[in-house]
Every structure is written in structure tokens, then in C-alpha cells.
Amino acid sequence: MLASAIIPAAGSGKRFGEKKQLKELNGRPLIHYTLIPFLESPAINDIIIAAQKKDFAKIASVVDSISTEKKVKIIEGGDTRQSSIYNALAQTNSNIDYICVHDAARPFVSKELIEKLINELKSCNAVTVGHKSSDTLKECSDGVVTRTIDRKKIWQVQTPQAFAKEVVMNAYELAKKQNIFATDDSSLAEKAGYQVKIINDSSINFKITTQEDWIMAEALLRLKKNV
Ligand code: CTP
Ligand code: MG
């Protein structure tokens, strides 16, 4: 079975205050860290990166700086994460069985996690990684708590998310037809009627969204280097 990875990397980093995917994090562009496990994992056949056209050359030079035999395609993203992935899906090879989507802005993904998800596709056709919320959760309105949510049933979801190719293709086509918008891929699969499996993973895999996340990522990478 062959799997392609799709890495959406065409964002503008509004909440971060600048574009983050090519910014140097402890000496390497952020996307470098994200790409390494996908380039190294034998579970991944090829990689499609959705980027802004003006970043193509820089992204290509990051890929070139990592010695790899793997085919990496850089394609033009869209105005939203969803449209970037839609564009990437259109560029997948016809012989591919599985698609694994992972945010460029999550540099702590591991080979093990990617392989765990791809392996799950032997027994399901859509799977996401997540973990239970450790904070107490409240529903609020106008600054007032309206109810406390039973956190036993609430999961926080990240990427990677992996799918049988047909599932993610159908989900994205339906979303386009019906003007459905979501911030992750599994929501679109759910809305298209597919069952999405969730696997628990509590490894560090946060998305760099704000400057505070960047500081945390720098500190973690420094610690890793010193271990
Ligand atoms: N992304 C994308 N195309 C877009 C928007 C986002 O490929 N039009 C990618 C980002 O590059 C990132 C991932 O989707 O790797 C998750 O997005 P997010 O953290 O929201 O990044 P940005 O969209 O860049 O940040 P912001 O929402 O703060 O502008
Ligand atoms: Mg965004």
C-alpha cells in the first residue's frame, strides 16, 4: 500500500505576526523539522507541499538541503488551509492508496506517530490523532459560564490525520460542492458520513500558532539537542 503525505504550508501566520513556516527555528527553517520524519519514514511514498508561489524556491532549497531519494512536489496553495489541501489532493498520483495530512506548523511530529496512523488504515479508512482534554471545559456566553462540559468525552485533535484516498477525495469534493468549511480534514470526512477513528497520543505535537508557541518550540529543541 502506498501513502502520500500532504503538508499544507501556504498560511500567512496572522496570529503569529509573520509567516512562520520558513522562519529559522534554532538554525533551521521550521518546515525542515516537519519534513524530516516524512522524508525518513518508509511508510510515506512521496510528499506534496502546498505553498505560496513566492516561497517555492525557498521551500525547494529546504528540501534539497535534506538528502532524500523521495519525490517531493511543491504546489500552489489556496486562500485557506482547506483550499491548499484541495489543490494538493488534485496533484496526488493515481496509484496512491492512502493520504496523510500534516500541518507544516507542527514540527514535533515523529516517524512513529506517522507510522502508527498509516498502520491504523488497515482496519479503518479515516483516523486522526488526539488526546483528552486535561483542563476543565466550560461553555460560555458573553463572559459568563453557561455550563461545564463532561471532559471525559472531549478530545483535542491534531495532525497527522490519515485517510484512504477515496475517503479524503470524496470529503473534499463534497465540501466544495456544499460550501462546507472546516479547520481540519477529519471534520470534512465526518460531514461526508465517514466514521473517523481517533487514537490517543500525548507526545509533544503542538502547532506553532503564536509567538509563545515559538518560544516553547525553541526551548524544547534546545533540550533535545542537549539530551
Ligand atoms: N495553511 C495553508 N494554506 C492556507 C492557510 C494555512 O496551507 N491558506 C497551512 C499553514 O501553513 C499551516 C497549517 O495550514 O501549516 C495550519 O494553519 P495555521 O496554524 O492556522 O497557520 P496560518 O494559517 O499560517 O496562521 P494564521 O491562521 O494565524 O494566519
Ligand atoms: Mg490559519
Side-chain angles (χ1 to χ4, degrees):
M1 297 297 234
L2 295 177
S4 286
I6 291 179
I7 312 287
S12 305
K14 283 195 198 86
R15 286 167 291 178
F16 186 69
E18 62 179 298
K19 227 192 264 179
K20 57 201 178 195
Q21 52 274 50
L22 284 160
K23 189 177 158 89
E24 296 253 322
L25 178 64
N26 292 17
R28 302 232 183 252
L30 166 59
I31 196 171
H32 174 100
Y33 298 95
T34 313
L35 287 175
I36 293 271
F38 286 94
L39 286 165
E40 286 183 350
S41 173
I44 300 295
N45 184 65
D46 63 285
I47 301 172
I48 303 171
I49 304 171
Q52 294 179 11
K53 212 161 199 169
K54 54 176 176 273
D55 294 329
F56 277 20
K58 280 188 195 151
I59 300 228
S61 82
V62 176
V63 173
D64 289 345
S65 74
I66 309 165
S67 147
T68 176
E69 301 280 285
K70 214 163 269 187
K71 186 154 177 10
V72 180
K73 230 189 253 180
I74 303 166
I75 62 110
E76 191 167 7
D79 290 342
T80 61
R81 180 186 185 277
Q82 192 169 320
S83 60
S84 292
I85 291 167
Y86 184 89
N87 292 354
L89 285 169
Q91 302 278 336
T92 51
N93 286 337
S94 54
N95 62 340
I96 288 297
D97 306 289
Y98 301 145
I99 303 283
C100 180
V101 182
H102 182 70
D103 295 325
R106 292 184 191 273
F108 295 105
V109 62
S110 66
K111 243 165 54 172
E112 291 70 29
L113 186 55
I114 297 163
E115 286 162 16
K116 201 159 133 186
L117 278 154
I118 301 282
N119 206 34
E120 285 294 331
L121 291 176
K122 286 180 189 152
S123 58
C124 70
N125 54 23
V127 58
T128 181
V129 69
H131 56 76
K132 283 192 184 164
S133 174
S134 51
D135 288 327
T136 301
L137 298 160
K138 308 271 187 198
E139 194 176 271
C140 308
S141 177
D142 298 327
V144 175
V145 173
T146 48
R147 82 186 169 102
T148 300
I149 295 165
D150 180 5
R151 76 170 179 211
K152 286 200 286 295
K153 286 188 177 165
I154 306 293
W155 289 63
Q156 293 180 326
V157 161
Q158 298 90 33
T159 67
Q161 301 190 352
F163 306 88
K165 185 180 175 189
E166 186 193 82
V167 167
V168 67
M169 288 286 193
N170 289 346
Y172 268 82
E173 279 305 337
L174 189 80
K176 192 173 171 102
K177 249 188 237 147
Q178 299 189 347
N179 279 323
I180 299 168
F181 300 101
T183 51
D184 81 332
D185 319 289
S186 63
S187 308
L188 299 182
E190 286 161 55
K191 286 188 175 131
Y194 295 105
Q195 194 172 62
V196 178
K197 185 167 181 177
I198 184 157
I199 57 170
N200 182 47
D201 184 83
S202 50
S203 64
I204 293 168
N205 180 25
F206 62 89
K207 181 160 70 66
I208 297 186
T209 306
T210 62
Q211 291 287 337
E212 288 74 22
D213 297 327
W214 188 271
I215 292 166
M216 211 131 70
E218 276 179 333
L220 280 165
L221 287 170
R222 259 199 308 272
L223 278 173
K224 270 189 168 179
K225 235 184 193 170
N226 294 331
V227 169

